[in-house]
């Protein structure tokens, strides 16, 4: 495939498309190894957190994937979604069983801890709206909804995982940049700045056609782009 910055082999694009489609369907890269039940549960949870992160990012939030970064040390918060004077602390549950009051109580505790750690003694003067959000693909028990309302938490149920434009593309220059895929190192740390021209794409081919390139296969192209930016 010919681009403004050089030729991208069709085999490279096809290989990445195959890996991406497999990953979005099964939560892992193609492999002959069978996953255990715990591994599958973890992978599907990762898929869901990234999907919910995309939903918030598409509404203008910058996302910190705390759960994917810190694992069990995430403090009960999977995503930290930030917008001007607004922070949403998101807990994601890709559960088939309904969410109960214990989950709501733990989320409330995590929100209060976050508020204290971030604002400390200035908490009373804080003008940032900090709220906890529970996102689940299943149901929420009535008593858990009542408790969440009482504690000021937001609850969204029946938010099922769906295929989404998961190719993250980041501008390096005004008309070119790099893209990462869900299984690429650094994917969850890539901050999307839509005002700078960063974008989500459905397919690898779309990203390449828009002059975004994959680091593993196209380092030389990316080197030229970065060199051109420095010359300007």
């Amino acid at each position: 495939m010919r681009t403004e910055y050089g030729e991208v082999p069709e085999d490279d694009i096809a290989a990445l498309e195959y890996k991406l489609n497999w990953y979005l369907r099964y939560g892992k890269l193609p492999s002959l190894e069978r996953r255990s039940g715990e591994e599958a549960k973890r992978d599907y949870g990762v898929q869901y957190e990234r999907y919910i992160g995309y939903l918030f990012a598409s509404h203008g939030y910058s996302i910190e994937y705390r759960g994917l970064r810190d694992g069990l040390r995430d403090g009960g918060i999977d995503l930290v979604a930030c917008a001007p004077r607004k922070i949403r602390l998101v807990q994601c549950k890709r559960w088939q069983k309904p969410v109960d009051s214990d989950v709501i109580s733990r989320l409330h505790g995590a929100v209060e801890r976050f508020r204290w750690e971030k604002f400390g003694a200035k908490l009373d003067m804080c003008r940032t709206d900090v709220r906890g959000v529970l996102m689940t693909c299943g149901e929420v028990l009535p008593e858990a909804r009542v408790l969440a309302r009482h504690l000021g938490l937001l609850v969204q149920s029946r938010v099922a995982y769906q295929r989404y434009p998961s190719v993250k593309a980041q501008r390096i220059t005004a008309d070119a940049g790099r893209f990462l895929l869900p299984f690429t190192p650094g994917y969850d740390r890539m901050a999307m700045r839509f005002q700078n021209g960063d974008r989500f794409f459905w397919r690898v081919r779309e990203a390449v056609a828009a002059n975004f390139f994959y680091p593993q296969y196209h380092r030389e192209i990316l080197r030229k782009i970065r060199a051109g930016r420095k010359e300007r």
Side-chain angles (χ1 to χ4, degrees):
M1 182 177 180
R2 180 160 293 282
T3 72
E4 179 182 345
Y5 292 88
E7 185 74 23
V8 178
E10 290 288 344
D11 288 349
D12 288 359
I13 296 174
L16 290 176
E17 295 279 20
Y18 176 75
K19 289 181 178 180
L20 177 62
N21 289 332
W22 188 283
Y23 188 90
L24 292 178
R25 182 173 182 181
Y26 298 109
K28 69 183 187 74
L29 291 176
S31 172
L32 297 176
E33 298 180 0
R34 302 189 66 175
R35 292 179 298 172
S36 68
E38 283 301 314
E39 288 174 332
K41 182 179 177 181
R42 178 201 63 208
D43 292 339
Y44 289 139
V46 167
Q47 275 187 326
Y48 193 62
E49 288 181 34
R50 286 177 174 154
Y51 171 62
I52 298 301
Y54 161 75
L55 294 182
F56 275 89
S58 62
H59 284 85
Y61 288 87
S62 62
I63 309 299
E64 176 190 340
Y65 292 86
R66 180 175 288 196
L68 299 181
R69 184 193 68 191
D70 297 337
L72 296 176
R73 294 177 286 106
D74 62 7
I77 298 169
D78 293 323
L79 307 173
V80 179
C82 299
R85 292 196 175 181
K86 185 186 296 185
I87 299 176
R88 297 292 178 257
L89 306 174
V90 188
Q91 178 65 230
C92 305
K93 294 296 184 186
R94 196 177 185 180
W95 286 2
Q96 295 190 3
K97 65 179 182 179
V99 172
D100 58 20
S101 297
D102 287 344
V103 174
I104 299 298
S105 297
R106 288 195 294 271
L107 176 57
H108 175 65
V111 171
E112 291 304 306
R113 178 177 177 178
F114 178 94
R115 283 163 55 86
W116 174 253
E117 289 178 346
K118 185 170 183 63
F119 302 108
K122 298 180 180 179
L123 185 58
D124 293 337
M125 298 182 290
C126 174
R127 296 184 179 181
T128 301
D129 179 23
V130 183
R131 300 188 70 178
V133 182
L134 174 75
M135 305 289 288
T136 179
C137 63
E139 299 290 346
V140 178
L141 293 176
E143 57 269 28
R145 285 188 178 275
V146 171
L147 179 60
R149 195 178 307 117
H150 174 73
L151 296 174
L153 305 179
L154 304 174
V155 172
Q156 292 286 332
S157 59
R158 298 184 183 181
V159 183
Y161 171 79
Q162 300 179 32
R163 293 286 292 269
Y164 65 99
S166 58
V167 181
K168 282 185 173 182
Q170 187 179 64
R171 291 285 183 191
I172 295 176
T173 66
D175 58 356
R178 65 170 184 156
F179 69 85
L180 299 182
L181 303 174
F183 45 83
T184 309
Y187 179 86
D188 296 315
R189 294 191 299 273
M190 179 185 277
M192 302 299 288
R193 298 180 176 86
F194 300 105
Q195 68 274 19
N196 295 342
D198 296 354
R199 298 176 58 185
F200 286 100
F201 289 97
W202 285 95
R203 300 182 60 199
V204 170
R205 176 173 291 277
E206 295 171 349
V208 173
N211 288 329
F212 292 93
F213 302 96
Y214 191 59
Q216 180 181 344
Y217 291 162
H218 313 302
R219 289 192 180 94
E220 185 61 23
I221 290 178
L222 288 171
R223 188 191 65 77
K224 292 178 181 178
I225 292 172
R226 290 190 173 97
R229 180 178 63 176
K230 290 179 181 179
E231 290 176 2
R232 295 175 189 174

